[in-house]
Amino acid sequence: MICMQYLAICSMSLNLLFLGISCQSGHKLPSRVIVPLSLPAALVYLLVLTNPLHQGCFRGFTAFTETTAPAYGIVAGYNYIYLALGLLFCCLSLIRQADRRRPAIVLFLAGILTPVIVHIFIVAGAWRPPFMLEPLLSAVSITLIGLSVLRFHFVDITPLARRMIMNEISSALAITRLDGRIIDYNLALSRLFEPAVTVHRLMPVADLSPLLRVFPTEPKPLRREIQLDTAAGQHLFEWTVHEVCDRNGRPVGFVYRLAELENELQLRRLLAGQNEQLASANQSLQRYAQIASELRQITVRNQLAREMHDSLGHSLIILIALLERIQSRPDTEPEQTELFGQAGQLLHQILNQLPLTQNLPPYPAYEDHLPAPAAENEVAAAALPVQLRALGNELALSGVSLEMDCRGPVEQIPAAHESEILQISREAMTNAVKHGHATLISLFLLADDRHYDLILLDNGCGNPNFVKGFGLLNMERRVQTLGGTLRLQSDSSGFGVYVAVPWPRKTDGPADPPPVPAVEPLPDTGTDSCSGQVVL
């Protein structure tokens, strides 16, 4: 019984040594450390216990005294060495936290070391207590060490934290050895297969399902989708297997993970439906883009047609009138020659206005008979009355006179408005020559403090049944661009165009005109007669 008592004491010292080493190193002790430290003490006590007389350990003893033998010194030596090392490592672990809890740690160290010092004095013979005090002193030291372990959290809580974290994961997890036996798992795995299959430690993972069997030749990590029979029925899972390696890189086990894919399947179906909707929307956008491109082309064609109608049409009408004038004077050959030269110069000017003929050299003859056309960047620089007078000079080639009267501060008309005013005047003059057969056109440009007015009156044969054609529609668009109003009047005395434009605001600038829908060109079915319906 005494030998068993000292075996228990030495075992406590050995456990204390393991605890101190584990606390000092910060991780769990491997078997290569535990076995060498445990084997000498086990062999010595095995030797003592197998001696029938036990004379090697004790020669004699009573209830209060004992006589030791040499073998007892060996046993006590192991015990004291392990006890001293265990106390040393535990004290070092306490000292590492001295900066945070210094008073409590000093008291624990004093309480642990005081019984040890007293025990050393008793063993050395410096003090003889009246009864055996050594077991009580050892118990006090071990108890205080246990309290310090609990108070300062020297126990490794990593497995507890790992267990809690694993249970919080919704995916089913299992940690196995190399032979495929489960050594740890979370609650999600047990809920997945129980009660059909009871999950327990050291069971083969293939017992849960043969599909979970891993062959050594399969590359890791392993990832695939599998259909498993679970307690809730068949479900689709994403199955992954990762190797667990030690410090030397040797595989020591596997981590299995089963993630349910039912929600992902629903998301896949939802994404498939959304992809179909996006494809349909993409086709619609492509159709809309094609329609928008066609509308842009129509807009550009209409704009080109409007510009050609306003500029080229005006020149062509004057050219036709000039040729008719030449035809009406067959006897005056010198004047016909001059008029033919003017007609050629005007025709060449028309060709220069076309995009494909802008690089043609100027017409060599009769260059001084016609005024040179103003460039676009020079329109704003010239005064508006001067440009209107230039239109009158061109109009004079057809035998039509222009009377112009400007009143008020017409020089304050914005340069941005001049181009539109010129085009409106050119269209009105063209209609007067082509449809009204006028010989006199009166142009009034009036300005006051609120607005300015443009009035063009001709003495041609008016027609109250006129229809707005491409030219008059373009005129309306230009007036709307300026933010003004247009009024047309036609009777037996001729045709009148009345344009009123308010002055643009100086602070905010001119307001944007309302958008005008694109209108397809109407066929010009105008007639030379003054009777019937005329398209202007």
Side-chain angles (χ1 to χ4, degrees), residues 320-395:
I320 293 174
L322 179 59
L323 294 177
E324 291 177 351
R325 181 182 173 188
I326 294 172
Q327 186 179 6
S328 64
R329 296 181 178 181
D331 299 333
T332 57
E333 184 175 350
E335 186 175 357
Q336 281 187 354
T337 304
E338 182 180 359
L339 292 179
F340 272 121
Q342 294 176 354
Q345 176 68 20
L346 185 60
L347 182 59
H348 196 74
Q349 179 179 331
I350 294 172
L351 291 177
N352 287 335
Q353 293 177 359
L354 295 176
L356 298 179
T357 60
Q358 288 180 355
N359 297 326
L360 290 177
Y363 191 68
Y366 307 102
E367 295 181 359
D368 297 330
H369 292 287
L370 290 177
E376 292 185 0
N377 56 355
E378 297 176 355
V379 173
L384 183 59
V386 176
Q387 299 180 65
L388 293 175
R389 180 63 64 185
L391 287 179
N393 294 336
E394 292 182 3
L395 191 65

Side-chain angles (χ1 to χ4, degrees), residues 282-309:
N282 187 24
Q283 294 178 357
S284 300
L285 287 176
Q286 291 179 355
R287 290 196 298 269
Y288 294 154
Q290 183 179 2
I291 294 173
S293 176
E294 293 176 355
L295 288 177
R296 283 194 299 270
Q297 293 177 4
I298 293 173
T299 303
V300 172
R301 285 199 299 267
N302 288 343
Q303 184 177 1
L304 290 175
R306 183 177 67 181
E307 296 298 331
M308 293 179 66
H309 180 276

Side-chain angles (χ1 to χ4, degrees), residues 138-152:
S138 300
V140 171
S141 295
I142 298 299
T143 302
L144 291 176
I145 290 174
L147 290 175
S148 65
V149 167
L150 294 177
R151 183 170 179 82
F152 297 105

Side-chain angles (χ1 to χ4, degrees), residues 386-418:
V386 176
Q387 299 180 65
L388 293 175
R389 180 63 64 185
L391 287 179
N393 294 336
E394 292 182 3
L395 191 65
L397 297 176
S398 61
V400 180
S401 301
L402 175 66
E403 294 181 352
M404 190 171 67
D405 186 8
C406 298
R407 299 180 185 179
V410 295
E411 68 277 359
Q412 297 181 6
I413 296 176
H417 291 197
E418 294 181 2

Side-chain angles (χ1 to χ4, degrees), residues 8-252:
I9 294 174
C10 191
S11 298
M12 292 178 61
S13 301
L14 185 62
N15 290 329
L16 180 62
L17 175 61
F18 293 156
L19 176 62
I21 296 175
S22 178
C23 293
Q24 185 68 16
S25 61
H27 54 79
K28 189 181 297 184
L29 294 181
S31 58
R32 65 177 179 271
V33 176
I34 297 176
V35 173
L37 293 178
S38 304
L39 190 58
L43 292 177
V44 170
Y45 275 99
L46 181 62
L47 178 63
V48 172
L49 290 176
T50 56
N51 185 2
L53 301 178
H54 302 288
Q55 297 297 317
C57 189
F58 293 98
R59 290 193 179 96
F61 55 87
T62 63
F64 300 99
T65 61
E66 60 186 17
T67 304
T68 60
Y72 177 77
I74 301 175
V75 176
Y78 277 110
N79 186 20
Y80 286 126
I81 291 173
Y82 287 168
L83 179 62
L85 291 176
L87 288 173
L88 175 64
F89 287 129
C90 288
C91 291
L92 290 176
S93 300
L94 282 172
I95 291 172
R96 285 195 306 181
Q97 298 193 17
D99 56 340
R100 292 181 295 170
R101 303 179 182 179
R102 185 180 299 274
I105 290 173
V106 171
L107 291 177
F108 270 104
L109 288 175
I112 293 171
L113 295 178
T114 299
V116 174
I117 295 173
V118 174
H119 187 78
I120 293 174
F121 277 108
I122 293 174
V123 173
W127 179 47
R128 285 286 181 178
F131 58 91
M132 291 186 66
L133 194 59
E134 294 90 337
L136 181 60
L137 294 174
S138 300
V140 171
S141 295
I142 298 299
T143 302
L144 291 176
I145 290 174
L147 290 175
S148 65
V149 167
L150 294 177
R151 183 170 179 82
F152 297 105
H153 304 290
F154 287 161
V155 177
D156 187 10
I157 64 172
T158 303
L160 300 177
R162 184 184 69 241
R163 164 66 57 183
M164 184 176 64
I165 293 172
M166 288 179 62
N167 290 335
E168 291 294 329
I169 298 175
S170 59
S171 301
L173 297 176
I175 303 174
T176 68
R177 303 184 309 194
L178 288 176
D179 57 0
R181 291 186 176 273
I182 299 175
I183 58 176
D184 200 1
Y185 58 94
N186 64 348
L187 292 177
L189 184 70
S190 59
R191 287 196 297 263
L192 193 62
F193 292 97
E194 292 179 353
V197 178
T198 302
V199 183
H200 57 84
R201 286 184 174 85
L202 297 182
M203 69 174 295
V205 70
D207 290 349
L208 300 176
S209 175
L211 298 176
L212 300 179
R213 186 186 304 275
V214 177
F215 296 97
T217 57
E218 292 182 290
K220 308 297 184 303
L222 183 63
R223 186 186 302 272
R224 66 178 64 153
E225 294 182 1
I226 57 175
Q227 194 88 16
L228 291 181
D229 293 326
T230 63
Q234 277 196 348
H235 291 280
L236 182 66
F237 294 90
E238 183 186 31
W239 177 45
T240 57
V241 180
H242 294 271
E243 279 186 339
V244 180
C245 300
D246 58 7
R247 296 179 180 178
N248 298 323
R250 294 191 299 268
V252 293

